[in-house]
Each structure stands twice: as structure tokens, then as C-alpha cells.
């Protein structure tokens, strides 16, 4: 949104600023932006510090929903268990949807 003319970031309020009509026009082309008008992002600075620009983009990039779905599918089909384990790796096991890798000591 901020790349578009008329959209600005209010650092005091931690929210995107624009005219309501401009926001609604943007949402027609980008429905995933619905619900963001007049919403503050109080943890934006902290998250920006933690994640910075670590966002995959371009061909082959997957969103969090797709990544979780792929991981669940891999765990369900046993992907990784039939392949040679890396040197120093003992096992890979699911734990609450997360992949835990045990390193040999």
C-alpha cells in the first residue's frame, strides 16, 4: 500500500494514512488489504527489528498458510524420513506443527 501515491505511514499512530475512498479503491484490486483502514500496528517497530526484510518474494515464494500446509503434508507423508539424514542429525519429529531436528552431540 505504501508504494502507492496517497498512502503514508503515521509513525506516531503506527498506522497507514489515506483517504477512505482511496483505500476502498485499493481493496477492490487487493482484497487481502480489507480490514486495515484505521487500524494501528503498535508492534510494527519491534517486528520490523526482528524480521527486517526477511520476506520471500518472487517465483517459488510461499506465504505462511502455504508453508504450513506444505509442512503438514510432508509430515503426513513421511517426507524426509525416507531420505538420508544429514551428518550429525539423529531424527526429525513433529511437535505441535513445528519441525524439531535433534543434533547428535
Amino acid at each position: 500500500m505504501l508504494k502507492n501515491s496517497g498512502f503514508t505511514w503515521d509513525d506516531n499512530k503506527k498506522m497507514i494514512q489515506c483517504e477512505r475512498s482511496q483505500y476502498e479503491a485499493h481493496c477492490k484490486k487487493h482484497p487481502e488489504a480489507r480490514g486495515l483502514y484505521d487500524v494501528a500496528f503498535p508492534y510494527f517497530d519491534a517486528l520490523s527489528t526482528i524480521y527486517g526484510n526477511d520476506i520471500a518474494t518472487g517465483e517459488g515464494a510461499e506465504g505462511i498458510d502455504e508453508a504450513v500446509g506444505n509442512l503438514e503434508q510432508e509430515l503426513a507423508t513421511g517426507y524426509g524420513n525416507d531420505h538420508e539424514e544429514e551428518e550429525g542429525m539423529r531424527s526429525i519429529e513433529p511437535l505441535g506443527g513445528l519441525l524439531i531436528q535433534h543434533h547428535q552431540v
Side-chain angles (χ1 to χ4, degrees):
M1 285 176 123
L2 293 174
K3 294 178 183 177
N4 297 324
S5 177
F7 290 87
T8 60
W9 178 254
D10 184 329
D11 203 39
N12 293 323
K13 294 181 180 179
K14 303 293 184 211
M15 65 175 46
I16 295 169
Q17 297 289 307
C18 67
E19 294 295 323
R20 179 81 183 200
S21 59
Q22 190 171 14
Y23 168 76
E24 290 171 356
H26 179 80
C27 288
K28 288 180 182 177
K29 295 179 183 176
H30 306 279
E32 69 277 4
R34 293 193 190 281
L36 299 178
Y37 188 80
D38 205 28
V39 173
F41 296 89
Y43 303 109
F44 180 81
D45 291 331
L47 293 171
S48 179
T49 299
I50 293 168
Y51 295 105
N53 292 326
D54 291 343
I55 299 173
T57 60
E59 187 176 336
E62 56 186 17
I64 188 67
D65 292 335
E66 187 178 7
V68 169
N70 289 339
L71 178 59
E72 288 172 347
Q73 183 179 6
E74 289 172 6
L75 292 172
T77 60
Y79 177 78
N81 294 335
D82 295 334
H83 301 285
E84 283 187 35
E85 295 177 350
E86 294 180 30
E87 186 177 325
M89 299 297 290
R90 203 176 53 203
S91 64
I92 300 175
E93 40 186 90
L95 176 65
L98 299 175
L99 198 62
I100 307 300
Q101 297 181 346
H102 300 281
H103 295 274
Q104 292 179 344
V105 183

